[in-house]
Amino acid sequence: MFCFQCEQTTRGPAGAGCATDKGVCGKDEATADLQDVLIHQLKGIGQYVSRLRKLGVADQAADSFILYGLFTTLTNVNFNRARFVEMIAEAARLRDRLRTAYEAAAKAAGQQPETLTGAAAFVPADNITGLLAQANAASVITGRDVVGEDVIGLRALLLYGLKGVAAYAHHAEVLGESRDEIAIGIAHALDVLASDPTDLGEMLEEALALGRLNFKVMETLDAANTGSFGTPSPHAVRTTPVEGKAILISGHDFRDLHELLEATKGTGINVYTHGEMLPAHGYPKLREYPHLAGNYGGAWQNQQIEFASFPGPIVMTSNCLIEPQPLYRNRIFTSGPVGWPGIRHIANGDYSAAIQAAKALPGFTKTVEGPTLTVGFGREAVLGAAGEVIEAVKSGAIRHFFLIGGCDGAAPGRNYFTEFAEQAPSDTMILTLGCGKYRFNSHDFGSIGGLPRLLDIGQCNDSYSALVIATALAGAFNCGVNELPLSLVVSWFEQKAAAVFLTLLALGVRNVRLGPTLPAFLTPAILDILVNQFGVLPITTAEADIQAALAPRIAAE
């Protein structure tokens, strides 16, 4: 196996990555290799979908399979090799159907169909032994000795950014929101990757195109979430237990949470959120369920301790799964793209097994009072107070805004984000999104300009709201976003973060501080491009980076 798609990857010389029988994330060699084979097939499917789209033919089943297939290969999502064997066979059948449809559509349009090679012509073996023997040809580093580290690195940036785009698009799709331009853009990116590109400039342009596409995807997901569950508004979330039976839900998927709340209505079972589910409490149609009792625990990397102590079953949605431990292995369930060998999977919204487990387990024996966390500061809430914020900037009450967001992890160095937030001067405002907020969201930052100094905008995909807020403030000050008293400090971890990063680059947002460590696939040459052309800033120390950010101040007039 070889994998360097996330920040957990084994570090070392250029091109380092997890290349043993098991990755740092817990993914074994066979599963990693099968994921590579599936990605190779998705490239071939993308070749046909892209050509069909140019002929005016859409295939919704293929579009959905691409999103789901890419999502399953994200970090900490699906570890079930049997599921990948099934998906590889399904992908082959789909590809063959698309080939037939393409040939027919081309002939109907008076064109000679192309004879596609490479990924589009790949014939997978019909058993796992044969599939694993084919994996080397599908590896992300295939051809590295010929094309070099920089080409492989940019191909990886394209692929991993695409995985993040597909994950966000899948979240929107399950809520009934999809766009043709998104499906076309994703198929195009797969088509590009299938061609094994070597021109660095062209690949960089494709990466920026992916960033622009991801902005549209995040906008679509925002519409899906608000259309389904209402516009987020500030809400104090309980962080201590309520007496009674309990189910914990983690991950990102609000549809799964809604289905679980419906399924447990009237059962006497309380539902608690965990990790990136915390922002769900900002949505009025979700918090109207009285048995949405609060949030339990912190970020995803703490789940093995927190799940073990939770007195009920756990439902794991979307990404962020870590190997289930014996203390809770028989009471954790997966849903959607998530999977682990031997762990029960919830299909078609049937939560009956989890509900049965909750009734059998003790739940919380007493109610405990304690602190709350306030969420729900989406763009509507923040822009609703824009007048006060603008006046506070003009008067000097607010000197600077720091957006500290992104994915969190367990690797050393992430105390940087805690130190940054706590050392930010009292006349600065902190916005946060993603699970990185757990590094500091329990700290009392006080208030400023009529608002709390710490504003939790939501999940990582709520970067869309953050960009809308920044654009609106720039308009109010009659300046560009890069001229605002605003600094972005991004904790990079996995592929959704890669997609958001590409969006920032594509929108021309400069001076993004990225860390705590940089992706292993970013070679020195690629990093030089990002630093020199886009102003990307690898993080140093919290104190030094705060001082540097505050030095070029905007005139508030």
Side-chain angles (χ1 to χ4, degrees):
M1 69 175 284
F2 182 88
C3 183
F4 58 0
Q5 70 177 3
C6 78
E7 195 179 30
Q8 295 176 110
T9 194
T10 303
R11 294 281 163 174
C18 295
T20 60
D21 59 353
K22 193 172 187 179
V24 176
C25 68
K27 182 171 55 179
D28 63 39
E29 181 178 11
T31 303
D33 288 347
L34 292 170
Q35 288 183 0
D36 287 345
V37 172
L38 177 61
I39 290 294
H40 190 62
Q41 288 183 286
L42 291 173
K43 293 176 185 177
I45 289 172
Q47 288 178 278
Y48 282 115
V49 170
S50 186
R51 283 158 179 78
L52 279 167
R53 284 286 189 172
K54 291 174 183 176
L55 292 168
V57 179
D59 191 308
Q60 181 62 50
D63 296 339
S64 296
F65 184 84
I66 287 172
L67 299 183
Y68 184 86
L70 286 169
F71 200 163
T72 61
T73 69
L74 263 70
T75 301
N76 294 97
V77 174
N78 200 307
F79 301 78
N80 191 341
R81 68 176 73 173
R83 178 62 183 128
F84 286 105
V85 171
E86 294 171 358
M87 290 183 69
I88 287 168
E90 186 179 353
R93 292 190 294 270
L94 174 60
R95 187 271 319 278
D96 291 345
R97 180 172 65 75
L98 291 169
R99 180 195 293 126
T100 300
Y102 164 64
E103 291 171 350
K107 290 176 182 177
Q111 300 177 13
Q112 179 64 33
E114 294 180 59
T115 300
L116 301 181
T117 59
F122 175 74
V123 179
D126 60 2
N127 59 75
I128 189 170
T129 302
L131 289 172
L132 294 177
Q134 294 176 316
N136 281 341
S139 171
V140 70
I141 56 171
T142 296
R144 182 169 62 181
D145 55 338
V146 176
V147 299
E149 298 280 359
D150 298 335
V151 168
I152 294 298
L154 268 182
R155 287 180 187 173
L157 179 60
L158 280 173
L159 175 59
Y160 301 149
L162 178 61
K163 288 187 179 188
V165 173
Y168 287 141
H170 175 79
H171 283 307
E173 184 184 58
V174 298
L175 289 173
E177 291 285 342
S178 59
R179 304 283 187 272
D180 272 354
E181 63 187 293
I182 293 172
I184 291 169
I186 289 174
H188 169 76
L190 286 168
D191 191 14
V192 168
L193 285 166
S195 71
D196 293 328
T198 57
D199 186 288
L200 298 183
E202 291 178 2
M203 281 192 282
L204 186 57
E205 286 303 315
E206 292 291 346
L208 296 178
L210 263 181
R212 291 187 290 271
L213 179 66
N214 189 56
F215 185 76
K216 174 59 66 175
V217 171
M218 290 192 298
E219 180 184 48
T220 304
L221 178 53
D222 178 85
N225 283 333
T226 57
S228 299
F229 310 120
T231 300
S233 59
H235 181 71
V237 183
R238 186 185 189 96
T239 62
T240 51
V242 175
E243 182 181 354
K245 304 292 186 177
I247 294 178
L248 186 65
I249 185 166
S250 190
H252 298 72
D253 201 296
F254 290 160
R255 183 194 66 166
D256 286 352
L257 171 59
H258 181 255
E259 289 179 344
L260 178 61
L261 289 169
E262 276 291 310
T264 51
K265 189 166 55 176
T267 63
I269 299 170
N270 290 319
V271 175
Y272 295 82
T273 56
H274 176 270
E276 277 275 67
M277 282 291 190
L278 170 62
H281 295 267
Y283 290 87
K285 290 185 180 179
L286 291 174
R287 68 174 183 248
E288 71 183 10
Y289 289 90
H291 61 298
L292 180 60
N295 189 75
Y296 177 90
W300 69 276
Q301 71 270 10
N302 300 322
Q303 68 186 250
Q304 290 179 325
I305 295 173
E306 293 168 352
F307 289 1
S309 61
F310 187 77
I314 303 105
V315 176
M316 197 74 208
T317 78
S318 67
N319 42 322
C320 299
L321 175 67
I322 301 176
E323 180 174 2
Q325 297 300 292
L327 284 173
Y328 60 89
R329 189 179 180 92
N330 64 347
R331 56 184 173 88
I332 186 171
F333 300 81
T334 59
S335 68
V338 187
W340 191 280
I343 298 301
R344 287 173 288 181
H345 190 78
I346 293 168
N348 303 316
D350 182 3
Y351 292 89
S352 56
I355 292 171
Q356 185 177 21
K359 291 178 177 179
L361 290 163
F364 290 105
T365 57
K366 63 178 180 179
T367 297
V368 178
E369 299 303 326
T372 61
L373 295 173
T374 302
V375 301
F377 288 99
R379 65 180 186 282
E380 295 294 335
V382 175
L383 294 180
E388 293 88 340
V389 172
I390 291 166
E391 285 305 312
V393 174
K394 289 182 175 180
S395 70
I398 297 177
R399 176 168 38 149
H400 204 83
F401 297 88
F402 290 111
L403 174 62
I404 310 174
C407 304
D408 199 13
R414 289 185 173 272
N415 56 314
Y416 165 91
F417 300 100
T418 306
E419 294 169 0
F420 196 106
E422 294 181 351
Q423 292 179 24
S426 59
D427 58 356
T428 62
M429 183 166 280
I430 301 168
L431 290 76
T432 188
L433 46 79
C435 60
K437 65 172 138 287
Y438 284 107
R439 290 284 169 177
F440 48 80
N441 65 346
S442 61
H443 182 81
D444 182 5
F445 290 94
S447 61
I448 184 172
L451 289 170
R453 273 192 66 221
L454 176 66
L455 302 180
D456 186 347
I457 298 175
Q459 293 182 324
C460 54
N461 57 278
D462 288 309
S463 300
Y464 172 75
S465 270
L467 289 168
V468 171
I469 291 169
T471 301
L473 289 176
F477 286 108
N478 194 29
C479 68
V481 169
N482 292 317
E483 299 171 281
L484 284 172
L486 169 68
S487 299
L488 280 71
V489 185
V490 178
S491 57
W492 176 81
F493 185 82
E494 46 82 85
Q495 297 79 65
K496 286 181 175 178
V500 173
F501 177 62
L502 291 181
T503 297
L504 295 174
L505 298 185
L507 296 180
V509 179
R510 297 183 62 84
N511 301 323
V512 176
R513 286 176 167 80
L514 184 67
T517 54
L518 296 177
F521 53 83
L522 290 186
T523 64
I526 299 173
L527 181 58
D528 283 345
I529 292 172
L530 296 177
V531 170
N532 295 326
Q533 293 189 26
F534 301 98
V536 173
L537 302 170
I539 66 172
T540 60
T541 66
E543 182 179 8
D545 289 347
I546 290 171
Q547 290 178 354
L550 294 177
R553 293 178 56 187
I554 184 176
E557 294 82 17

